[in-house]
């Protein structure tokens, strides 16, 4: 489905650049980027003017995407704003028709989403990530660039997978946990944990 050409994005950092590029590649366009950082107001990001502050009055019910990589920030803004959340998939992403993707989520170039995967709202599937069959991803997750999920994986709400992280089949990563860059998770991870390494182990326990 062709995207609207009057999308507003919330956030004007590096991640926002990739969201703008993704929207344009998918046939839509971004008309404004909103940010709370006053020093950015009036500047441009990929030709889009940055405005502010971010508020329900400014954004209204515009078609919008929260273009901020931080999962908790996306959740706060999703609860604050009343926008019409848009889902954007880059045309080079391969998304099986049986997969579902929630409102406000973005799927960047080269990603793959396999059959019967379910992706929540305001999720980020970063560049060239893969989500295999029957995975369930909650709202506000961020799957980092090149991260790989085997079949049947569950990522609970707010999970961050760092660049190149890998999750073995049927493993569940608990809510608001982080798997660090390059981590390989072969067993379930409890909520709120940070795990790193191969195989991944909690670094909280080591502190
Ligand atoms: C896991 C992570 C969140 C930890 O951050 P942190 O809490 O600030 O932890 P620190 O940098 O203080 O590191 C703590 C220890 O873990 C080690 N460590 C941190 N990240 C690691 C990783 N990915 N793999 C292996 N070891 C790691 C550090 O070397 C340090 O070890 P030490 O105590 O022996 O010195 C972070 O390092 C990381 O990997 N982030 C992923 C970012 C990413 O890929 N984002 C994608 C967005 S596009």
């Amino acid at each position: 489905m062709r995207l609207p050409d009057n999308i507003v994005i919330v956030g004007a950092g590096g991640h926002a650049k990739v969201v703008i590029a993704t929207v344009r590649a998918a046939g839509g366009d971004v008309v404004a980027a909103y940010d709370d950082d006053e020093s950015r107001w009036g500047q441009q990001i990929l030709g889009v003017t940055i405005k502010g502050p971010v508020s329900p009055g400014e954004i209204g019910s515009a078609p919008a995407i929260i273009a901020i990589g931080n999962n908790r920030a996306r959740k706060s803004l999703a609860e604050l704003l009343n926008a019409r959340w848009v889902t954007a998939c880059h045309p080079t992403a391969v998304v099986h028709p049986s997969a579902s993707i929630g409102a406000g989520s973005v799927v960047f170039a080269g990603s793959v989403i396999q059959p019967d995967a379910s992706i929540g709202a305001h999720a980020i599937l970063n560049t060239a990530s893969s989500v295999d069959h029957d995975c369930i991803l909650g709202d506000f997750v961020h799957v980092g660039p090149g991260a790989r999920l085997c079949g049947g994986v569950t990522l609970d709400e707010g999970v961050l997978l760092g660049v190149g992280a890998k999750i073995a089949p049927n493993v569940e990563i608990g809510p608001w946990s982080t798997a660090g860059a390059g981590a390989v998770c072969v067993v379930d991870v409890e909520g709120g944990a940070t795990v790193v390494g191969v195989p991944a182990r909690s670094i909280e326990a080591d502190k």
Side-chain angles (χ1 to χ4, degrees):
M1 193 182 68
R2 199 177 167 87
L3 290 178
D5 60 6
N6 59 342
I7 292 172
V8 162
I9 61 168
V10 181
H15 178 71
K17 286 185 186 172
V18 189
V19 171
I20 295 169
T22 301
V23 165
R24 288 177 176 161
D29 208 353
V30 173
V31 290
Y34 282 83
D35 200 290
D36 276 336
D37 181 351
E38 207 169 331
S39 68
R40 287 178 165 162
W41 298 352
Q43 295 179 2
Q44 300 230 318
I45 173 173
L46 293 184
V48 175
T49 301
I50 302 170
K51 303 177 179 180
V54 178
S55 73
E58 288 287 335
I59 310 289
S61 59
I65 297 173
I66 304 172
I68 296 172
N70 181 278
N71 294 346
R72 289 202 186 270
R74 283 201 311 291
K75 181 168 184 176
S76 299
L77 288 162
E79 289 171 349
L80 174 73
L81 303 172
N82 304 306
R84 180 159 62 84
W85 302 117
V86 172
T87 303
C89 289
H90 195 278
T92 63
V94 177
V95 181
H96 192 268
S98 65
S100 61
I101 307 173
S105 292
V106 291
V107 181
F108 288 170
S111 293
V112 179
I113 304 177
Q114 294 288 21
D116 290 332
S118 167
I119 317 288
H122 300 284
I124 298 169
L125 296 196
N126 219 313
T127 309
S129 59
S130 71
V131 175
D132 223 292
H133 64 89
D134 301 302
C135 285
I136 300 172
L137 277 57
D139 299 339
F140 310 109
V141 304
H142 183 166
V143 178
R148 302 261 180 256
L149 279 62
C150 294
V153 163
T154 300
L155 302 185
D156 293 326
E157 180 179 298
V159 164
L160 167 64
L161 301 185
V163 56
K166 299 180 180 73
I167 315 295
N170 304 315
V171 164
E172 177 171 1
I173 310 296
W176 302 98
S177 287
T178 297
V184 177
C185 298
V186 294
V187 295
D188 292 354
V189 172
E190 64 182 17
T194 298
V195 298
V196 299
V198 183
R201 298 189 199 283
S202 172
I203 54 174
E204 301 306 319
D206 298 337
K207 284 183 176 173

